Amino acid sequence: MTATHQVKLKPGDTIGILGGGQLGRMLAMAAARLGLRCRMFSPDPDSPAFDVVLNATCAEYADVEALELFAADVDVITYEFENVPAAAAMILAARRPVLPNRKILETTQDRLAEKDFVRQIDIGTADYADVCSAASLRAAIARIGLPAVLKTRRFGYDGKGQAIIQQGDDTDRIWEELETRSAILEAFVPFEREISVIAARSAEGQVECFDVTENEHRDHILKTSRVPADIPDALAAQACGIAEKIATALNYVGVLAVELFVVKGDGGPKVLVNEIAPRVHNSGHWTLDGATISQFEQHIRAIAGWPLGKPVRHGPVIMTNLIGEEINGYERWLTVPGAAVHIYNKGTPRPGRKMGHITQVLPQTQNHTTQGR
Ligand code: AMP
């Protein structure tokens, strides 16, 4: 089985998952519900995803022999993080279908390539400029203005590899502190709110979007997701249309997340794309308990060559991340009526580390600010 269009798994077949974090863990649990097995690949022996599968490969992504053996044992390969090394993806793709297509990684691993792609398909983003030196940063600021956000082109997440630049800041020092040679400067977006769309696309081109999620970050890390987002229906439809356009343009198979800013426009609020995540996403965790089909199941269905589901939401939903030491409060959450508790078993909590999450489906009459805490 090598070509994407030939993937058609049957119960008992095995999915290979690159990465062993909580996303891989929840993907493997969703696969198990559908009668599919998973084999994980991760260099970290303490990977939380190893807990829920029988077979795992603990090896570096540069270990060619381990990659070959892994590929031989699975029917299709997917990933739970976007920084899969290109060489590893190439070795695997020569042996088994890799879904989503590994070419998508080239676009989404690089903030500049990603923004160029989004603009090429006529979707709005913040103004941005390529930055490769202190001098080019000064030139970019002259064009884009301040405040602005300087981001490394690669390997940034949860606010890491980012700096906000304000009037009067020492830009040469900020450039040095970022310790990179390739960055992007983005205009600071004075957003009203942040939203995301979790979309699934099948190999046949069927696209299903979950209801638009409204996200709040604390210290650049997602803290809560609320569904539905408090935005007009037309704007929600527009956001879903953008996710569908992106998924279709990428010939995407699987689940992707599109993060957007809602900003004031002349004729009412409008959206700008911030980021694309070529994988299941934290802002879609609410779907595990808040909808009939989760983002994890949709992803498994898509890469298995199965029809996507039509998820039905159970009501207004709030998802709260348990970050760092907050996980130690899990016993209190266990007693909150209606709260679904998810613990990732990631060992000792570290500041900023996502350790678990809580989902609460609220009565239709209750709004998000009156959750049962
Ligand atoms: P990112 O890693 O690009 O998703 O950024 C993390 C968070 O930083 C976003 O969710 C926003 O809250 C904030 N942020 C990123 N880029 C911008 C921007 N251009 N303007 C304003 N806030 C931003």
Side-chain angles (χ1 to χ4, degrees), residues 101-327:
N101 185 318
R102 74 189 168 87
K103 293 247 166 8
I104 285 155
L105 294 171
E106 286 166 21
T107 307
T108 54
Q109 281 178 354
D110 178 347
R111 289 186 192 272
L112 183 64
E114 183 175 286
K115 285 233 159 35
D116 285 347
F117 158 73
V118 171
R119 285 280 182 101
Q120 272 160 23
I121 59 171
D122 280 331
I123 294 173
T125 66
D127 275 345
Y128 63 95
D130 185 10
V131 174
C132 59
S133 63
S136 68
L137 175 58
R138 285 193 293 273
I141 290 171
R143 183 164 79 69
I144 286 175
L146 292 177
V149 188
L150 183 65
K151 302 178 178 180
T152 55
R153 276 173 59 174
R154 291 174 175 274
F155 301 117
Y157 69 99
D158 288 349
K160 292 184 178 63
Q162 287 192 25
I164 297 181
I165 308 180
Q166 309 276 5
Q167 284 293 350
D169 282 348
D170 179 347
T171 57
D172 286 8
R173 192 177 53 78
I174 290 174
W175 173 251
E176 267 172 39
E177 281 175 2
L178 205 65
E179 291 181 340
T180 184
R181 281 160 174 261
S182 57
I184 175 172
L185 186 76
E186 288 178 20
F188 183 85
V189 178
F191 56 81
E192 288 180 346
R193 57 190 86 236
E194 291 188 81
I195 60 170
S196 58
V197 179
I198 308 292
R201 185 173 180 275
S202 71
E204 283 76 36
Q206 181 194 357
V207 177
E208 295 292 337
C209 294
F210 287 95
D211 291 329
V212 178
T213 305
E214 184 162 338
N215 303 314
E216 264 174 50
H217 296 80
R218 197 174 67 193
D219 301 330
H220 295 278
I221 301 168
L222 182 67
K223 182 57 193 161
T224 56
S225 291
R226 294 174 164 83
V227 200
D230 187 12
I231 56 172
D233 288 350
L235 197 65
Q238 198 188 325
C240 290
I242 285 172
E244 178 164 357
K245 191 171 182 183
I246 288 172
T248 304
L250 291 170
N251 197 20
Y252 198 89
V253 178
V255 161
L256 62 67
V258 181
E259 295 181 73
L260 306 109
F261 298 123
V262 177
V263 292
K264 281 196 174 65
D266 293 339
K270 60 174 194 167
V271 289
L272 299 174
V273 167
N274 174 33
E275 202 171 28
I276 303 168
R279 53 171 169 78
V280 286
H281 192 257
N282 193 172
S283 67
H285 288 4
W286 65 267
T287 60
L288 275 172
D289 309 293
T292 49
I293 293 168
S294 74
Q295 62 164 347
F296 302 99
E297 177 170 339
Q298 286 290 61
H299 186 76
I300 296 294
R301 285 179 179 230
I303 63 163
W306 293 6
L308 301 179
K310 295 242 176 234
V312 176
R313 188 164 48 80
H314 299 312
V317 190
I318 177 164
M319 188 287 307
T320 306
N321 269 338
L322 300 179
I323 298 167
E325 298 281 344
E326 287 170 354
I327 194 68

